Amino acid sequence: MKLLSCLLTVMLTVPALSELKIVSTPDGETRPPPCALTCSGVSKHNQTFIFNSLSWKKYHRRAFKYILNATDCGFVTTPTVIATLSGPTIGGEVTRCPSVHVWGNHATRGFYVFTVEDTPIEQLNANECDVHWIATGYHC
């Protein structure tokens, strides 16, 4: 009887722990809660794709990187995306990576991450500044 009680408690508690509620979206439309999805990933500083399209590039003094692997999440609407840069801690010394902002996020095409300040691409690579991102949206 104790085992049944424990099992029932776990079965009733676990769904409540994984509940995701989206209160607003970029397009202003909300969907049923079971369709809500959180997806995350890391785009490595040295990750490239066809013709180096995923490597760091420059645009008007700011560096940017296209994040394609967000398309693997299966969003059907434009997600809300948060991104930050992070490098390794080497010998107790923290590497410096600049602040970024997300631009052009799209449900099926990924998004761009731009540095807030003028940052040399060499610094982003030398400091191993990887893009850590999390996206919240709907998959149905």
Side-chain angles (χ1 to χ4, degrees), residues 4-22:
L4 181 60
S5 177
C6 288
L7 185 58
L8 186 58
T9 301
V10 169
M11 289 174 60
L12 293 173
T13 307
V14 170
L17 295 175
S18 63
E19 187 175 316
L20 174 63
K21 182 175 183 177
I22 299 175

Side-chain angles (χ1 to χ4, degrees), residues 5 15 18 24 29 36-37 39 42 62 74 78 94 110 113 116 119-120 122 129 131 136 140:
S5 177
S18 63
S24 62
E29 303 279 330
L37 172 70
C39 187
V42 177
R62 296 205 175 123
T78 301
V94 178
V113 173
V116 173
T119 307
E122 298 78 23
C129 296
V131 180
T136 304
C140 60

Side-chain angles (χ1 to χ4, degrees), residues 35-39 70-81 106-108 133-140:
C35 292
L37 172 70
T38 296
C39 187
T71 60
D72 293 338
C73 298
F75 291 116
V76 296
T77 60
T78 301
T80 299
V81 179
H106 188 272
T108 59
W133 58 269
I134 186 167
T136 304
Y138 295 103
H139 66 91
C140 60

Side-chain angles (χ1 to χ4, degrees), residues 35-85:
C35 292
L37 172 70
T38 296
C39 187
S40 63
V42 177
S43 180
K44 304 298 279 179
H45 66 284
N46 57 358
Q47 180 180 10
T48 60
F49 194 58
I50 301 169
F51 307 114
N52 286 334
S53 62
L54 296 184
S55 60
W56 286 103
K57 306 277 188 220
K58 276 295 221 186
Y59 179 77
H60 291 282
R61 296 182 36 201
R62 296 205 175 123
F64 74 93
K65 187 170 180 61
Y66 181 60
I67 310 300
L68 180 65
N69 55 358
T71 60
D72 293 338
C73 298
F75 291 116
V76 296
T77 60
T78 301
T80 299
V81 179
I82 299 169
T84 188
L85 298 184

Side-chain angles (χ1 to χ4, degrees), residues 116-131:
V116 173
E117 65 240 19
D118 182 10
T119 307
I121 292 173
E122 298 78 23
Q123 177 186 337
L124 294 166
N125 288 325
N127 291 352
E128 299 180 19
C129 296
D130 299 333
V131 180

